Amino acid sequence: MTEFRFRGAVAPLRRQDITAAAPLPRTVDGIVAALRPEEPMHCLRPAQVAATAGTFLAAFPGTTMYAVKCNPEPGMLRALWDGGMRHFDCASAAEVRLVRSMFPDAVIHFMHPVKARSAIRDAYAQHGVRDFVVDSEAELAKVMAETGTASDLGIIIRLALPKGGAMMDLSGKFGAEPAAAVALLRAARGLAVKLGVSFHVGSQCLEPAAYARAITLAAQVIREAGVPVEVLDVGGGFPVAYPDILPPPLSAFMAEIGDAFEAAALPGVQLWAEPGRALVAGGASVVLQVQARRGGELFVNDGIYGALSDAGVPGFRFPVRLLRQTDAAPVPFAFQGPTCDSADRMAGPFLLPGDVQEGDWIEVGQLGAYGGCLRTAFNGFDRAGMVDVIDAPLLDTPGYFMPAVAA
Ligand SMILES: *Cc1c(COP(=O)(O)O)cnc(C)c1O
């Protein structure tokens, strides 16, 4: 759950001016050789992100919106837009403002079940937001009051799910239990021009059947409510690969969702999805520099208070690559982050050539999701740069050794 805390990134990622310095084509290796960065350098892969967005949009049988919290970097949002994304799932006033300022024509959905009154007011009155998620009578009343009892609202009821098999459980915090969801659907029907049910199976959900179970539960709730419903929103949670995890392909999730939706037989209902991680994880990496080596511990310039939060206690393993040619065989390393907190350690293991030394650069992949957005200013280590690159995601890069996936 720590993945979803919001901690303001004090220094925004600073776009590096590489026009003079770095050679074309813009590769990670070329840019690092030219800039020799001593601060973490985020490497965006806009073409990769656009292609991934296009793939998801084509595969999902309904409306897809991007969950902005996963990576709100303007360069990332622009790449998603270029890939065809037109709907955005926002959770705060700042996310709504950002998306609207970049894309006047975007459709913004306010998908947080507990909102500041001013956020509801501004989203509706200033930013053209019409769809709001609620999971209680009190929040429904708030939305009605702050929109002046608007007559053009979409109200989506967030349904609580039993704890499932996702790596990041999201069942504990939001969502109405089925009986309460039934009551909410009935209460909201007369207030909304569009009524829906949403859920979230949890992030990095490895089990396609989790979506089918949730769809079946949502269909039961809809039937019991006995009112017309227009939207069934299957949320986010679609997984990506990490070095020790090879999830079922996206097509398996789509097939399961399609079958369950068909079996639920809900005429007049359209599907929505809110993917975050699956769209952007492969779309950014971070280049670290080694500042000291003590045995198997590499002291690097980013850590759990920076973009590597999930490599700490959540224990995600990330693909890594040394930016230097060597014949040394790979051995396991742990990373120590730059802050003075002894918790700022990432156990990995990170497989890197045995001769890694001070001054080396290491690229850490799959950090497009829940990486840069979780940075803090703790201990003054909040500065990081950003560049666009044409490289493939690290897990697809020749030379990156994909360790055997444990059965
Ligand atoms: C975080 C979140 C998402 C995105 O989840 P991923 O696991 O990144 O796909 C979608 N919807 C809601 C309501 C969320 O809180």
Side-chain angles (χ1 to χ4, degrees):
M1 204 52 134
T2 52
E3 186 181 10
F4 297 107
R5 65 190 178 260
F6 271 92
R7 305 173 300 179
V10 169
L13 293 179
R14 284 169 307 127
R15 210 166 249 291
Q16 308 283 286
D17 184 7
I18 50 174
T19 36
L24 292 167
R26 307 274 192 229
T27 60
V28 173
D29 294 75
I31 293 170
V32 169
L35 297 183
R36 307 182 62 78
E38 295 199 350
E39 291 169 355
M41 192 176 78
H42 291 239
C43 301
L44 301 191
R45 291 153 163 82
Q48 160 71 26
V49 172
T52 305
T55 302
F56 197 101
L57 286 164
F60 184 71
T63 299
T64 301
M65 62 184 89
Y66 170 60
V68 172
K69 77 163 184 283
C70 189
N71 188 327
E73 207 38 60
M76 202 55 110
L77 298 177
R78 170 65 59 190
L80 289 159
W81 181 269
D82 290 345
M85 193 64 62
R86 294 295 178 269
H87 293 255
F88 293 83
D89 159 2
C90 292
S92 63
E95 289 182 359
V96 170
R97 274 197 305 274
L98 171 63
V99 172
R100 183 55 79 221
S101 69
M102 288 187 68
F103 311 119
D105 298 331
V107 185
I108 301 175
H109 310 262
F110 209 136
M111 304 307 275
H112 196 303
V114 180
K115 294 165 283 298
R117 285 181 176 272
S118 58
I120 299 170
R121 224 159 41 228
D122 293 352
Y124 183 83
Q126 292 174 27
H127 302 296
V129 178
R130 292 296 173 266
D131 297 335
F132 295 86
V133 161
V134 305
D135 66 357
S136 70
E137 303 269 358
E139 189 73 10
L140 178 59
K142 239 160 91 180
V143 169
M144 296 318 296
E146 298 306 327
T147 58
T149 321
S151 59
D152 56 355
L153 293 176
I155 298 289
I156 311 297
I157 310 298
R158 168 88 171 256
L159 180 64
L161 296 181
K163 194 167 163 13
M167 287 183 65
M168 293 281 178
D169 178 38
L170 296 177
S171 62
K173 187 156 180 170
F174 295 124
E177 294 300 323
V182 167
L184 274 169
L185 280 171
R186 290 176 181 157
R189 179 66 279 184
L191 304 171
V193 293
K194 183 167 54 193
L195 187 61
V197 174
S198 75
F199 54 77
H200 200 302
V201 296
S203 200
Q204 183 71 358
C205 174
L206 300 171
E207 190 198 3
Y211 290 86
R213 285 197 302 273
I215 288 170
T216 304
L217 179 64
Q220 282 166 7
V221 165
I222 289 169
R223 252 189 292 281
E224 196 178 329
V227 295
V229 164
E230 288 81 32
V231 172
L232 177 54
D233 179 347
V234 302
F238 301 92
V240 298
Y242 293 96
D244 51 349
I245 298 163
L246 196 56
L250 187 62
S251 58
F253 289 84
M254 295 303 166
E256 193 85 22
I257 288 169
D259 289 351
F261 184 56
E262 206 176 298
L266 297 167
V269 176
Q270 50 162 305
L271 285 174
W272 289 4
E274 313 165 356
R277 185 189 305 275
L279 298 181
V280 296
S285 60
V286 180
V287 172
L288 314 176
Q289 191 175 33
V290 179
Q291 296 175 327
R293 173 174 177 177
R294 297 184 186 163
E297 304 281 314
L298 299 179
F299 289 69
V300 293
N301 58 355
D302 204 2
I304 69 163
Y305 295 98
L308 290 167
S309 175
D310 280 345
V313 170
F316 276 62
R317 287 190 57 202
F318 291 90
V320 288
R321 178 176 78 92
L322 181 67
L323 273 68
R324 171 167 63 77
Q325 293 302 316
T326 168
D327 292 330
V331 297
F333 287 96
F335 289 169
Q336 296 277 357
T339 71
C340 303
D341 184 351
S342 50
D344 191 4
R345 178 177 186 270
M346 296 139 280
F350 302 94
L351 280 187
L352 288 160
D355 66 350
V356 179
Q357 59 195 23
E358 189 260 321
D360 275 337
W361 285 279
I362 294 167
E363 183 181 17
V364 185
Q366 298 299 79
L367 278 172
Y370 307 111
C373 59
L374 293 172
R375 295 183 306 124
T376 74
F378 181 46
N379 234 167
F381 295 107
D382 60 333
R383 289 160 61 91
M386 181 178 47
V387 293
D388 287 354
V389 298
I390 61 160
D391 302 59
L394 212 52
L395 281 176
D396 298 343
T397 300
Y400 167 72
F401 170 65
M402 176 91 165
V405 175

